[in-house]
Amino acid sequence: MRPRLDSLTIAAVTVAIIAVSSSGALIAYAAAPALAIAFWRNALAVGVLAPVTLTRRRGELLGLREGHAWRWSVLAGVALAAHFATWVPSVKMTTVATATALVATQPIWAGLIALGQGRRLGRWTWLGIGTAVVGAAIATGADFTRGGTAVAGDLLAVAGGLLAAVYTALGEKARERTTTTTYTTVCYSVCAVVLLGVCLLFGVRLTGFDDQTWLAIIALTAGAQLLGHSMFNYALHKISATTISVLILLEVPGAALLGWAWLDQVPPTAAWPGIALLTGGVALVILDARRPAALPTPDPVDVDLPVPGKR
């Protein structure tokens, strides 16, 4: 039995949903290269987490070699870098609402990864996967009418969802022997280093942005990268992880509203049924995770939210 909900927990969840919903709009608003945004949000997060880990978790950090936790943390960081390298550019190429809905397919990919590992998926999971695929096809098809980079952005967002599932699967291995703080510090550090290397290799500008862009990057780090999921973690003592995962799907309409209000972005009318089907399909997959045959559902966003058996 979980304790009854109180106003503080409800407020924490509300803040968390708003924080993660702001991610797409802030990325689209920031006048900086997508890879630079991805690098700075991780580097700044490490700047906050590293002092805590080095002072309170030093022994655990030094013991990461046991059970290969270090290897899994590093690999998760590389996968997270690949996720950001696809997801962040996608927001600048298509609408915030469509990119957010497509990257939210992470639980779908996690289920397919589980299938490849020999685990069975429940009937409702398959129904959810089918519904989400149809929804994604409709949403992406609507973007063909827009031309330009919209379809490429859709494909990058789908790839971002796949890579987020890989990141989560690797993180599950690391989290078997380490705490959230230590794991995320190592993971975000590796992610930042990889993204820095990519930026330097391709000559991506990392400095010289205007004040509004830096404020957007800082808000992105404090909001989606740190505050949002910290509040979800707090709420887990009174709300189940499955319910939290479903609540995170409110990021999709939340991101759509922010994209419309702040950036005057409105997806094509034909895309809305697809976005609705996509979100509903993902919700089915998450809810079916309660059944014994289903895979513990990872979060549909890009950071460290605990899930049943993991995160």
Side-chain angles (χ1 to χ4, degrees):
M1 295 290 294
R2 290 176 180 270
R4 294 183 61 183
L5 281 177
D6 54 52
S7 57
L8 185 59
T9 302
I10 294 172
V13 171
T14 303
V15 169
I17 292 171
I18 294 172
V20 298
S21 297
S22 69
S23 178
L26 287 168
I27 291 170
Y29 172 79
L35 288 175
I37 296 172
F39 162 72
W40 281 115
R41 70 179 287 178
N42 282 274
L44 292 174
V46 171
V48 174
L49 293 171
V52 178
T53 303
L54 292 174
T55 55
R56 298 186 180 182
R57 304 286 185 183
R58 185 179 303 175
E60 183 182 332
L61 188 63
L62 296 174
L64 281 180
R65 292 183 181 274
E66 299 178 7
H68 304 293
W70 178 263
R71 176 194 303 172
W72 296 121
S73 298
V74 170
L75 289 175
V78 174
L80 183 61
H83 161 69
F84 280 128
T86 50
W87 150 243
V88 176
S90 76
V91 179
K92 290 184 172 291
M93 299 170 71
T94 186
T95 63
V96 170
T98 304
T100 303
L102 289 171
V103 81
T105 56
Q106 178 185 345
I108 303 293
W109 296 110
L112 294 177
I113 289 172
L115 183 66
Q117 294 172 337
R119 282 181 272 180
R120 295 180 58 191
L121 302 183
R123 177 174 49 190
W124 289 101
T125 295
W126 283 115
L127 178 60
I129 290 174
T131 302
V133 168
V134 172
I138 293 173
T140 303
D143 273 345
F144 273 105
T145 63
R146 299 176 59 210
T149 61
V151 174
D154 292 347
L155 296 176
L156 282 175
V158 171
L162 168 60
L163 289 163
V166 173
Y167 149 67
T168 302
L170 293 168
E172 286 180 345
K173 295 286 187 180
R175 284 295 313 281
E176 290 174 359
R177 293 180 176 272
T178 185
T179 61
T180 299
T181 303
T182 301
Y183 162 66
T184 51
T185 300
V186 175
C187 180
Y188 290 176
S189 296
V190 172
C191 180
V193 169
V194 171
L195 289 171
L196 176 61
V198 172
C199 288
L200 294 177
L201 179 64
F202 291 97
V204 176
R205 183 166 62 100
L206 293 172
T207 58
F209 310 132
D210 57 41
D211 292 344
Q212 289 79 6
T213 295
W214 282 117
L215 286 174
I217 292 173
I218 292 171
L220 182 63
T221 305
Q225 193 84 1
L226 293 172
L227 176 62
H229 296 277
S230 295
M231 293 296 98
F232 279 131
N233 288 338
Y234 168 80
L236 278 170
H237 76 298
K238 292 190 177 179
I239 302 176
S240 72
T242 301
T243 302
I244 289 289
S245 295
V246 175
L247 287 173
I248 290 178
L249 289 180
L250 291 174
E251 177 191 14
V252 177
L257 287 172
L258 287 173
W260 168 69
W262 191 6
L263 305 173
D264 200 26
Q265 280 191 4
V266 180
T269 303
W272 286 111
I275 292 174
L277 283 173
L278 176 59
T279 306
V282 174
L284 280 176
V285 172
I286 293 171
L287 291 172
D288 199 40
R290 286 182 170 179
R291 301 172 183 267
L295 175 72
T297 307
D299 62 297
V301 203
D302 50 14
V303 290
D304 188 52
L305 175 69
V307 298
K310 186 248 173 194
R311 197 176 171 181

